[in-house]
Amino acid sequence: MNLDRTYKSLMVLALIIAALILTKDIILPMAFAALFSVVLLPLEKKFERKMGRVFSITMVLLIAFGAMTLVSWFVVAQLSSLAESLPDLESKYMALLNSVSGQVNQLLRIDTYEQTQLLKDGLKNMSSYFGTLLLSTSYFAYFFIQVPIYIFLFLLYRERFKDFLLAIWPDSELKWKDEIQGVVRSYISGLTIVTVIAGILNSIGLLLLGIEHAIFFGFLSGLLTMIPYVGIAIGATLPAMLALVTKDSAWYAVGVVAVHAFVQFLEGNLITPKITGSKISVNALAAIVALLVGGKIWGIAGMILAVPAVGILKILLSYSPSLKPFVILLEDKHNEERPVEIE
């Protein structure tokens, strides 16, 4: 009987994963819209007390759009500054490349032609990878049109979702619903604050080192902290490469890595625990597995959604007597507020 139940569970899991992959373009905007709807719901309720629901939802969406516009203006301004310096950076990069090529020729006895071919092959593979990555995220216009529409509809028909769940579980009080909403709000708001703080700290460190475009790379690294473990590595690599090109000593690149490592230490051990608390805390193994699975299914967006998805899954499992032991595999014992009681 247990084997039969396990087999059926695995089959259902496989079907769910296949459905998520095949319907990625449809599910992704809905998933992000659901998260943002939960975050915007308290503000929408405040407006709704003074005006109708449709007008209150519209007002909340306009405020969110205004905030996104300010962020977009900052990004465009920083990218424009970076684009102006690209010709100078290109010449410095070629000089560094020629210097490295000569050293490789002396040490490894690989002539310039072979190095060029290896570099071309590497760039070809990299361009293929980034082409696939851009293809998977090239529907940004479609995405940013769909998400506000879904947010509007989710907020407008929110009682129907509650009635639907009560119709499925008539005897349930849906206690997990409120807990999930609290976790999502804590995660999104906390992540925003952590991203800003990490961006400021990274920018200060890069400015002290004299790295060009320090503010852009600092906040880019802060933004990449949304992808645990992987984002910080990418965020440190880009300014480190810039330091190698623009500075006369490799120690500047080492300093860039040290700044990011220090900020990552503060973020993981002080900033995030103080701001987001332990509501969504999962252990490193669960987070890494979730990142790999999320990335495999939905790419970069899946990696961003992986951690809150595991946090929500942890809550749902804790309300199931038969599945509650799996919470032990996901929780971070050091940060949990209450132990998991297995009935």
Side-chain angles (χ1 to χ4, degrees), residues 10-288:
L10 291 175
M11 286 295 295
V12 170
L13 180 62
L15 290 174
I16 292 174
I17 293 175
L20 291 175
I21 295 174
L22 293 174
T23 60
K24 176 178 67 174
D25 294 347
I26 299 173
I27 300 297
L28 266 181
M30 296 181 68
F32 278 100
L35 292 178
F36 292 137
S37 297
V38 172
V39 175
L40 296 174
L41 180 57
L43 181 61
E44 189 277 331
K45 286 183 176 180
K46 290 182 179 180
F47 285 122
E48 193 173 341
R49 298 191 190 106
K50 301 179 181 179
M51 59 185 74
R53 176 168 296 186
V54 172
F55 289 105
S56 62
I57 296 173
T58 303
M59 182 66 67
V60 167
L61 288 176
L62 288 175
I63 293 173
F65 178 77
M68 289 295 298
T69 301
L70 289 176
V71 173
S72 301
W73 171 81
F74 172 77
V75 172
V76 171
Q78 293 297 317
L79 284 175
S80 299
S81 176
L82 179 62
E84 292 176 358
S85 63
L86 283 180
D88 184 50
L89 291 177
E90 182 180 2
S91 61
K92 293 179 179 179
Y93 172 76
M94 293 305 299
L96 175 65
L97 191 63
N98 291 331
S99 175
V100 172
S101 176
Q103 294 180 8
V104 170
N105 193 0
Q106 291 180 358
L107 295 175
L108 302 178
R109 302 299 180 184
I110 301 177
D111 59 33
T112 305
Y113 176 78
E114 291 181 82
Q115 293 179 41
T116 303
Q117 290 300 119
L118 291 173
L119 183 61
K120 285 182 178 180
D121 292 339
L123 291 175
K124 182 178 179 181
N125 294 333
M126 188 178 297
S127 63
S128 175
Y129 171 77
F130 280 106
T132 304
L133 181 63
L134 289 174
L135 185 64
S136 65
T137 57
S138 61
Y139 59 95
F140 272 160
Y142 161 82
F143 182 87
F144 284 113
I145 292 173
Q146 290 289 312
V147 168
I149 294 175
Y150 284 132
I151 292 175
F152 185 91
L153 295 175
F154 286 159
L155 292 175
L156 184 65
Y157 298 122
R158 57 180 182 267
E159 282 87 2
R160 298 194 182 188
F161 294 106
K162 182 178 179 180
D163 294 339
F164 170 74
L165 294 174
L166 288 172
I168 296 177
W169 296 290
D171 299 328
S172 173
E173 298 179 3
L174 301 182
K175 293 181 180 179
W176 49 266
K177 178 179 70 70
D178 296 331
E179 194 169 345
I180 287 176
Q181 289 181 352
V183 163
V184 171
R185 288 173 190 147
S186 174
Y187 179 76
I188 298 296
S189 59
L191 185 63
T192 302
I193 296 173
V194 168
T195 298
V196 172
I197 293 176
I200 292 173
L201 293 177
N202 285 325
S203 299
I204 291 174
L206 295 178
L207 284 170
L208 291 176
L209 289 171
I211 305 299
E212 296 181 12
H213 312 290
I215 296 177
F216 171 75
F217 286 110
F219 277 93
L220 177 63
S221 300
L223 186 64
L224 289 172
T225 57
M226 289 192 298
I227 307 175
Y229 307 106
V230 178
I232 189 65
I234 301 174
T237 300
L238 296 176
M241 293 177 61
L242 181 66
L244 287 174
V245 172
T246 58
K247 298 296 182 180
D248 55 0
S249 173
W251 285 108
Y252 285 95
V254 175
V256 169
V257 174
V259 166
H260 283 77
F262 179 68
V263 172
Q264 174 66 13
F265 174 80
L266 291 179
E267 183 269 325
N269 295 278
L270 182 62
I271 302 173
T272 296
K274 292 293 184 181
I275 293 176
T276 63
S278 59
K279 291 184 178 181
I280 203 170
S281 60
V282 295
N283 61 59
L285 177 60
I288 291 173

Side-chain angles (χ1 to χ4, degrees), residues 290-303:
L291 287 172
L292 294 175
V293 174
K296 192 68 175 178
I297 295 175
W298 283 348
I300 297 296
M303 297 179 75

